[in-house]
Amino acid sequence: MMEWQVQKAVTKLQSNRLTAILKVQSAMMQEVHDYMHEKGLLQLMPVMISPITDPLNHSVLEGEISYYGDKLQLTKSMILHKQLSLLGDREGVYIVSPNVRLEPMERGATGRHLLEFTQVDFELKGKKAADVMEFMEALYARIFAKVKKECAQELAFLGRTLKTPHFPMKKFDSAELKRTLGSDWEKMVSKTAGDPIWVTNHEREFYDKEDLDRPFTYLNYDVIYPEGFGEGLSGAEREHEHPRILERMHRNKMELGPYGAYLEVAKAGLLSPSAGAGFGVERLVRFLCGAKHIEEVAPFAKVPGGKFVF
Ligand code: AMP
Ligand code: MG
C-alpha cells in the first residue's frame, strides 16, 4: 500500500483528465510561440537565480540560496532582466519563465496560487499600454480559437463550454472600482464579468510607470478573468529614467543596495522606454479548462501550505 499522499499524486498523474488538460496547455503554448515569432519577439531562456529579482508588491517568504557566500535569489519574475535584455538593438523579447514565490500558506485556498508557476513574460521596446492591450487581445483571440478548434474533444471531456471573449475587452480603473465596490472589488468583478476585462491603474512596484500628468496614477493594467477565475495577467509601461526610478523606489521604501548594478545602468541612461506584461500559464490553462483549483492543471503542483511529494 502506498502512503495516501503518494497514491493521490499517482492517481492524478495517471488520469485522463490530466492528459486532456495538458493537451489544452500544449495547444495554447504552441499558439503563444507562433504568435511571438510572427510578431518578431526574440525568445530568451529563463533566468532562475540572480542577485536581483522582482521585489513584488505583496510579501512572500524569501527564496534565497547561498553560493560561496554570495546570495542569489530564486526568480520571482524576470521584469528587471526583461528591461535589461532590451539594451541591444531588439524590439521585443519573451520568456516562458519559471517563477518561485513562496506564498504564505493562506493563499492555498484562493484556488489560483502555487509556489512555483510559469509566466509567459514579454516586453516591447518603445510601446505603450494601449499597444500591449492590443497585442495581448490578439493573442487571446488566437489562443481561444486554437484551443476550441484543436481541443474540442478534450474540452467536452472536461465538461467545459468555452466562450470566446468579446474584443476589444472592456477597461476599468481600479480606483473607481474600489470606490464603488469596496476593497473586495477584484473578486466581485471576476464573479460578475461575462468576459475577461482590463483593470488599469494599480499602486504597486516601482517599475510600473507613473502618469506624470496625473500624479499617483499608474500606467499599468491587469486582466481579470470572468467566472471567478480572478487575475490572469499584470503589466505596465515601465519607469526607465534614473530619477523616476529612484523616486519610486523611495516611495516604496525600498533598500537601494541590492539594486546597485541595475541603478548604474539606469543612471547611464541605457534603459529604453518599454511596456509589457506577464500572464500565468497555469492560470490561463485553469480558465480555459474550467478547473476548480489551479492544482488540477499542474502535474506537480505546490499549493501554498500543502504537502509536497514530487
Ligand atoms: P504578477 O506580476 O505578480 O501579477 O505575476 C504575473 C502573473 O503571474 C499573474 O497575473 C498571474 O497570472 C501569475 N501568478 C502570479 N503569482 C502566481 C502564483 N503564486 N501562482 C500562480 N500564478 C501566479
Ligand atoms: Mg499581478
Side-chain angles (χ1 to χ4, degrees):
M1 271 287 278
M2 272 187 223
E3 201 258 322
W4 74 269
Q5 270 153 345
V6 180
Q7 182 60 59
K8 187 168 162 237
V10 167
T11 303
K12 175 179 169 183
L13 290 167
Q14 288 178 323
S15 71
N16 293 335
R17 185 173 166 80
L18 183 62
T19 312
I21 289 169
L22 293 177
K23 283 198 177 157
V24 169
Q25 180 174 276
S26 292
M28 166 190 137
M29 288 309 299
Q30 181 67 52
E31 200 58 31
V32 167
H33 287 296
D34 288 351
Y35 183 78
M36 298 292 182
H37 184 71
E38 281 169 35
K39 294 285 182 185
L41 276 70
L42 301 175
Q43 184 181 7
L44 304 184
M45 292 301 121
V47 169
M48 288 183 281
I49 48 175
S50 169
I52 53 167
T53 188
D54 190 337
L56 296 181
N57 71 328
H58 68 277
S59 60
V60 296
L61 281 66
E62 274 321 309
E64 210 172 65
I65 57 171
S66 164
Y67 183 71
Y68 290 108
D70 281 342
K71 295 235 179 295
L72 295 172
Q73 311 254 351
L74 304 182
T75 293
K76 292 174 185 152
S77 95
M78 275 180 61
I79 171 62
L80 305 175
H81 296 85
K82 282 198 304 184
Q83 262 189 313
L84 293 164
S85 75
L86 291 177
L87 287 185
D89 181 18
R90 293 167 214 121
E91 292 311 309
V93 294
Y94 79 105
I95 316 111
V96 179
S97 173
N99 291 182
V100 174
R101 298 188 187 177
L102 304 178
E103 307 276 1
M105 57 166 78
E106 313 80 80
R107 295 209 178 107
T110 64
R112 60 196 165 85
H113 286 92
L114 293 171
L115 302 186
E116 61 172 346
F117 65 94
T118 308
Q119 272 195 65
V120 172
D121 210 357
F122 63 91
E123 196 70 18
L124 306 170
K125 193 185 277 180
K127 300 292 184 191
K128 302 279 192 188
D131 302 313
V132 173
M133 289 179 176
E134 200 180 305
F135 180 92
M136 197 56 220
E137 289 191 21
L139 176 54
Y140 278 134
R142 293 215 0 199
I143 290 172
F144 274 74
K146 170 102 165 177
V147 166
K148 282 173 78 95
K149 181 160 170 259
E150 290 191 6
C151 303
Q153 269 187 0
E154 285 74 22
L155 292 175
F157 176 75
L158 295 168
R160 177 63 164 158
T161 311
L162 189 59
K163 185 169 126 332
T164 305
H166 288 103
F167 298 108
M169 286 157 45
K170 290 189 181 144
K171 298 181 183 70
F172 300 87
D173 182 286
S174 84
E176 196 56 44
L177 290 175
K178 202 183 247 172
R179 230 183 339 267
T180 49
L181 300 174
S183 59
D184 226 11
W185 60 265
E186 187 184 317
K187 213 172 180 177
M188 291 164 79
V189 289
S190 179
K191 277 235 163 73
T192 51
D195 279 307
I197 57 166
W198 291 107
V199 179
T200 60
N201 180 27
H202 308 266
E203 191 179 343
R204 58 187 181 209
E205 297 92 347
F206 75 89
Y207 49 74
D208 284 5
K209 198 178 183 72
E210 181 176 16
D211 185 350
L212 291 180
D213 296 331
R214 300 179 301 156
F216 299 96
T217 304
Y218 300 94
L219 298 168
N220 57 17
Y221 33 82
D222 280 4
V223 171
I224 307 292
Y225 296 142
E227 302 171 62
F229 287 110
E231 184 212 309
L233 169 147
S234 290
E237 287 180 31
R238 310 302 177 187
E239 298 288 7
H240 68 287
E241 292 164 325
H242 185 249
R244 297 296 311 141
I245 292 174
L246 277 186
E247 150 80 20
R248 297 293 308 287
M249 284 182 152
H250 287 310
R251 189 179 300 172
N252 285 6
K253 301 191 168 49
M254 289 174 63
E255 234 188 278
L256 305 191
Y259 299 92
Y262 173 79
L263 287 169
E264 260 186 68
V265 174
K267 194 169 186 183
L270 298 177
L271 296 178
S272 301
S274 67
F279 60 92
V281 169
E282 296 85 353
R283 286 197 188 176
L284 183 51
V285 173
R286 176 184 175 222
F287 172 39
L288 292 170
C289 294
K292 206 164 150 37
H293 198 289
I294 195 168
E295 177 179 24
E296 293 174 47
V297 310
F300 306 104
K302 314 286 184 308
V303 178
K307 274 265 174 242
F308 316 122
V309 288
F310 298 121

